Amino acid sequence: MKRLSIFVSGNGTNLQRIAEYFSDNNNVEIANVVCNNPKAYSIERAKNLGIPLQMITKAEFNSEDFVNEMQSLNIDLIVLAGFLWKIPENLIKAFPNKIVNIHPALLPKYGGKGFYGEHVHEAVVAAKEAHSGITVHYVNEIYDSGEIILQAHVALEAGETPDSLAAKIHKLEQTYFPVAIEYVLKTQQ
Ligand code: GRF
């Protein structure tokens, strides 16, 4: 049995999709959802999905206790699904190649500090890029720079707006994020 921990800060559409994708897979379970935002709709989703939910403060998140807790839960893969805090080094060291993130653009472009949510799509549209997409990647000490696992592309059309692009990216995420997670679980030691 592979055990996932899903970290969220917002709406949780990726959390929902991942949970549904693996719901009939007896080899994968979501051990918990970790959330840093008391206003996140992800909280409702975790409750409705019946997944144990852990709310965290920044101090708790950056503590050695949190690492120990995650280790005691025997987590095989931490999935950042719209999680907006930087991952502390001790957690990265404790879970080498066991933390993945989804970024709503084609890294290495439009990544790094400040590039999150609509800021990414605004920058892509303003630069008149021909394409954008999603990147699923491992997490290392530097924001958005770990090894790439999967990218999926979508074309920008005439009159594309940050909102219309966000909708396209959302579709790509729903299709490909669970598949990328499944691939990582199958290939990890
Ligand atoms: C997604 O666009 C993801 O790429 C980004 O944050 C958003 C999360 O959306 N990192 P949701 O909370 O899963 O609905």
Side-chain angles (χ1 to χ4, degrees):
M1 173 67 80
K2 294 281 187 176
R3 288 164 60 77
L4 300 179
S5 177
I6 304 191
F7 289 15
V8 291
S9 301
N11 186 340
T13 56
N14 283 287
L15 161 65
Q16 184 85 37
R17 171 74 184 125
I18 294 162
E20 284 164 9
Y21 184 86
F22 289 112
S23 62
D24 56 0
N25 184 331
N26 295 327
N27 299 316
V28 179
E29 87 179 324
I30 302 176
N32 71 350
V33 168
V34 173
C35 179
N36 66 344
N37 174 8
K39 293 186 180 148
Y41 187 63
S42 293
I43 295 170
E44 292 306 310
R45 293 187 193 271
K47 285 181 185 161
N48 292 338
L49 288 161
I51 305 170
L53 171 70
Q54 187 177 352
M55 299 301 300
I56 40 151
T57 63
K58 200 147 214 172
E60 285 162 353
F61 184 57
N62 286 302
S63 70
E64 206 56 45
D65 280 356
F66 182 72
V67 175
N68 294 338
E69 254 175 76
M70 293 296 290
Q71 284 181 320
S72 69
L73 287 170
N74 293 318
I75 301 298
D76 295 288
L77 190 66
I78 295 174
V79 175
L80 310 183
F83 184 72
L84 294 180
W85 281 351
K86 194 166 191 311
I87 306 301
E89 247 176 64
N90 57 353
L91 191 60
I92 293 173
K93 288 218 167 71
F95 288 86
N97 276 339
K98 289 182 176 176
I99 309 178
V100 297
N101 180 44
I102 187 156
H103 186 77
L106 296 171
L107 293 174
K109 283 182 124 181
Y110 305 103
K113 210 169 165 48
F115 280 119
Y116 62 91
E118 71 269 27
H119 302 298
V120 176
H121 309 309
E122 281 162 8
V124 170
V125 169
K128 298 190 177 11
E129 293 283 356
H131 293 91
S132 189
I134 59 165
T135 304
V136 180
H137 64 95
Y138 287 108
V139 172
N140 64 14
E141 285 81 357
I142 303 162
Y143 257 133
D144 295 330
S145 71
E147 189 193 332
I148 291 173
I149 298 159
L150 173 145
Q151 289 189 309
H153 296 60
V154 69
L156 271 74
E157 284 157 86
E160 197 82 70
T161 66
D163 280 350
S164 63
L165 179 57
K168 287 179 175 176
I169 298 288
H170 186 238
K171 272 194 191 155
L172 287 183
E173 292 183 338
Q174 295 277 303
T175 305
Y176 291 107
F177 198 16
V179 176
I181 293 166
E182 192 170 39
Y183 169 79
V184 170
L185 292 174
K186 273 195 186 141
T187 53
Q188 73 180 180
Q189 303 304 319

